[in-house]
Amino acid sequence: MRSLKAITLFALLLSAVAGSSSDKLIALTFDDGPRPYVLFGSHGEHPSPSLLNVLDSNGVKATFFVVGWRLTPKTWGEPRAEQNIGITCLDAAQQLVRRGFELEDHTYSHIELRTAERQRGEQWVLSDVNRGADAIKAVTGTRPRYLRPPDWIIPDDARLDLERQGYQLLTISSENPVALRDINSLDYLCAGRHPTGCPKPSLTNGVLKQIEQREKHGVYTHILAFHELSTTTAVMPELISELKARGYRFVTLSEYMRLVAGKQ
């Protein structure tokens, strides 16, 4: 009887350790920036919250996949779509680094790379990725290691050449282990005043549902792919709070890869 109780107790202990927050990890990532009006918030006719304030107040360090052209002097964003709040993209990137966030590569031009290769050749694609990396290195002092191609699309030959250069490409492809695939939040479908296609009943629930599906297959580590959008910022407090309540710990992408990639 004592032996049976000991075995039962040991099994319960293993179960508790397996479900501990040390094994439940979230790498929170944001694409397409830096966008100062999202990172620092904006006022005026359409005020929006500050993404950095949300992350800092919740003790979350995220990874930002930034676009190289934004890291040029005096650039603050796209005039037709973004509000100039008096902070340049370059200043915003430097603040991200000072606050302990990571910057990774989302190319220089943010052009879909398969089409770009067809129209301009593979060397242009490689150059655009490396040009983005150079812009990031000028801010951080180190060359980025991770690349998320726009829309996760990249020709096979360019992918192989970039991997030979030392990049690790993020993907939603089923060719990768589940824990190393991005979760596409679909947050871009929730942007704008009259969004169509936004996950129902909410963006938060849509992301949680994807996480729950992965948990059914025993996966408790997730890379969440969002974009620098005011509508995304608005749901972050609820999403972060819910994931913490479920025992998840937030880490940067480099820490995530260190803890997870070696186990795959």
Side-chain angles (χ1 to χ4, degrees):
M1 181 63 70
R2 288 182 180 177
S3 177
L4 179 60
K5 287 183 177 179
I7 293 172
T8 302
L9 181 61
F10 183 67
L12 289 172
L13 178 61
L14 284 179
S15 176
V17 170
S20 69
S21 60
S22 63
D23 292 324
K24 300 178 74 172
L25 302 175
I26 297 288
L28 189 59
T29 70
F30 297 91
D31 290 1
D32 294 1
R35 289 177 170 165
Y37 79 101
V38 175
L39 294 173
F40 299 99
S42 63
H43 304 283
E45 185 179 356
H46 302 289
S48 61
S50 162
L51 177 57
L52 288 185
N53 284 349
V54 170
L55 297 176
D56 283 345
S57 64
N58 284 280
V60 171
K61 296 302 181 189
T63 300
F64 290 82
F65 282 82
V66 298
V67 180
W69 69 261
R70 291 178 176 270
L71 302 183
T72 53
K74 300 181 180 179
T75 300
W76 55 265
E78 298 174 349
R80 292 178 297 177
E82 298 177 35
Q83 182 179 346
N84 183 356
I85 62 169
I87 300 174
T88 68
C89 297
L90 186 55
D91 288 338
Q94 292 167 343
Q95 283 235 29
L96 285 171
V97 175
R98 284 197 293 269
R99 293 193 188 198
F101 298 99
E102 290 183 343
L103 304 187
E104 296 294 344
D105 199 348
H106 199 40
T107 75
Y108 185 89
S109 302
H110 197 255
I111 294 174
E112 190 263 286
L113 296 181
R114 184 179 296 156
T115 301
E117 182 182 272
R118 187 166 58 247
Q119 295 175 346
R120 309 182 189 188
E122 184 193 352
Q123 285 306 311
W124 186 94
V125 170
L126 301 180
S127 176
D128 196 63
V129 170
N130 286 321
R131 191 180 177 192
D134 290 341
I136 293 169
K137 184 178 179 181
V139 175
T140 65
T142 57
R143 194 168 182 82
R145 178 180 176 184
Y146 300 100
L147 167 68
R148 179 178 285 143
D151 298 323
W152 294 280
I153 298 173
I154 190 168
D156 288 340
D157 52 354
R159 176 180 58 80
L160 291 172
D161 285 338
L162 289 167
E163 288 174 343
R164 292 189 189 102
Q165 290 184 29
Y167 290 100
Q168 184 168 341
L169 275 65
L170 298 194
T171 180
I172 55 175
S173 171
S174 59
E175 294 179 0
N176 277 19
V178 176
L180 299 183
R181 298 178 208 163
D182 289 347
I183 290 181
N184 181 3
S185 67
L186 301 174
D187 64 335
Y188 48 86
L189 297 178
C190 304
R193 298 181 190 178
H194 306 289
T196 58
C198 190
K200 306 296 183 184
S202 70
L203 176 58
T204 297
N205 286 328
V207 173
L208 292 175
K209 184 176 181 180
Q210 291 193 68
I211 289 174
E212 289 163 0
Q213 289 298 317
R214 290 158 61 102
E215 288 176 339
K216 290 179 181 178
H217 295 89
V219 179
Y220 293 89
T221 53
H222 318 285
I223 303 171
L224 305 187
F226 290 93
H227 296 77
E228 284 189 35
L229 297 166
S230 297
T231 47
T232 296
T233 300
V235 306
M236 277 297 123
E238 177 187 13
L239 179 63
I240 291 171
S241 177
E242 179 61 33
L243 288 171
K244 284 185 174 181
R246 297 185 182 197
Y248 279 97
R249 180 166 64 93
F250 288 83
V251 295
T252 59
L253 182 64
S254 61
E255 184 177 359
Y256 181 95
M257 290 298 187
R258 180 174 60 81
L259 295 171
V260 176
K263 299 179 181 179
Q264 302 303 308

